[in-house]
Amino acid sequence: VSPSLIFLSSPKITTPTLSFSKFSAIPFEPSSNSTMTAFAIAGLSLIGVPLTAGFQSKYALVTALLQNGWWWAAIIVVFTSFLAVIYVGRILEAVFFQAPIGQAATTKSRLPVLVGVPLWAMALTSIWIGVDGGFVIGLANDAAASLFMGDAQ
């Protein structure tokens, strides 16, 4: 909940630059479409948009909560999804629909391969699980069965 409060309280989000000690700066700028497209896919999955892994997991979670009569917990899950819409939406708005502010925001450097490959692997896996999550759901059901009943099916 605290990240959402930070983004709700800030009047304007600028395009951030992350820096690591051994890597060059990784800019999140509007012209870096590849990086931010993968970030947007991750954000949409966090929100729980259909055809992403986040939707599959939230759907399974809310269904299980409602089947067990925990309607109040299901409301909390849906509420946190709405909070994610707010803060992910503000980030995507700042990156895709606002002009960069200042000279530092226009500095471009290449995304390191060690960051780009896992980022895109995560984004594509999120879409794959969102479209055809049967394999992952089957693994989760087998794990739950072995944990609670003592043997996997």
Side-chain angles (χ1 to χ4, degrees), residues 56-57 60-61 129 133-149 151-153:
Q56 293 280 353
S57 64
L61 181 61
I129 292 171
F135 175 71
V136 175
I137 292 171
L139 287 176
N141 287 337
D142 289 346
S146 68
L147 181 64
F148 294 114
M149 294 178 218
D151 60 339
Q153 296 178 359

Side-chain angles (χ1 to χ4, degrees), residues 1 3 18 45 63 84 98 101 108 145-146:
V1 176
L18 300 176
S45 183
T63 302
Q98 293 177 359
I101 300 171
K108 298 177 187 177
S146 68

